[in-house]
Amino acid sequence: MTDHGTNEDIDTDESGVVLTLPDELRGAFKEPFGPVFTDDERLVAALGEPVIVVGDVVTRHLTRAGVRPDLAVVDWVTERETLPDDEQPDIEGYERRIDLENPAAGLAEDLLHALRNGIGHDETAVVVVDGEEDLAALPAFAIAPEGASVVYGQPGEGMVHVEIDAEIREHARGLLSRMDGDHDRARRALGLE
């Protein structure tokens, strides 16, 4: 993992995947966790603070609409296709850039640390994932502050806006607890212990 920012490096004593999505839990992610927007202006008007965005297309839409997310997570891929350069979101101007690896259907400890640190700092940050960032919204729901907006893409539908409250936070933590893996290590990485 490489932190290109000016702040402290994210320090992990171990690397690797801590949680994986079991087949029986995949259905829990089919339905959007919040309202779906297709209009950038309506979405921008609904955003709280901080703004956390997971996905290249959503990040591109918001930056082109004049919103610089406080934390963006991108992987240069949408719907399993690599984005051409002219369709990639603009990530210039972020105060911190963190490069890391994360597998499909999994959550690596580095990604969980990056989310925790990105949400916990006042500086803007972009996490560039080598692999997949699809599940990153779930731990963001679990740790984002009350009133924050987490936005992610719903393939073929639009941009899902989740306003964080106690109910969504507990729902996300419940889903994380049903994933396979080392739950204690995941909670520590997210600062939930």
Side-chain angles (χ1 to χ4, degrees):
M1 177 177 50
T2 307
D3 182 344
H4 295 277
T6 56
N7 295 332
E8 65 197 60
D9 287 343
I10 293 174
D11 182 27
T12 58
D13 57 355
E14 300 176 48
S15 61
V17 179
V18 291
L19 297 176
T20 57
L21 184 65
D23 289 340
E24 65 268 13
L25 198 55
R26 289 183 188 274
F29 295 90
K30 298 291 185 203
E31 293 298 316
F33 286 84
V36 179
F37 289 79
T38 56
D39 181 281
D40 298 349
E41 290 179 20
R42 288 188 58 229
L43 174 58
V44 169
L47 294 175
E49 290 186 13
V51 176
I52 301 149
V53 179
V54 176
D56 297 75
V57 174
V58 178
T59 302
R60 185 182 72 229
H61 275 275
L62 286 177
T63 56
R64 288 182 180 173
V67 174
R68 171 72 59 191
D70 297 283
L71 174 64
V73 183
V74 298
D75 65 4
W76 310 132
V77 175
T78 189
E79 297 186 37
R80 308 218 188 287
E81 296 291 326
T82 301
L83 285 171
D85 290 347
D86 63 336
E87 292 183 28
Q88 292 180 1
D90 175 16
I91 63 167
E92 296 301 318
Y94 279 93
E95 294 165 292
R96 301 176 76 213
R97 174 180 167 159
I98 303 160
D99 293 285
L100 55 84
E101 294 180 14
N102 192 74
L107 292 168
E109 187 172 25
D110 283 348
L111 177 60
L112 300 179
H113 274 280
L115 291 169
R116 176 184 176 189
N117 283 299
I119 291 170
H121 279 93
D122 291 334
E123 298 83 10
T124 59
V126 61
V127 177
V128 180
V129 175
D130 179 7
E132 281 192 18
E133 36 73 328
D134 294 354
L135 290 178
L138 187 63
F141 300 157
I143 62 171
E146 193 91 10
S149 287
V150 179
V151 184
Y152 68 93
Q154 188 81 4
E157 293 187 42
M159 299 170 284
V160 181
H161 174 230
V162 180
E163 184 176 340
I164 302 302
D165 60 19
E167 183 179 343
I168 189 67
R169 194 177 297 120
E170 287 309 309
H171 180 61
R173 290 176 184 180
L175 288 172
L176 287 168
S177 73
R178 292 171 57 200
M179 293 178 73
D180 293 334
D182 188 337
H183 297 100
D184 291 337
R185 196 167 149 201
R187 282 192 294 277
R188 280 193 305 273
L190 289 170
L192 294 175
E193 290 191 328

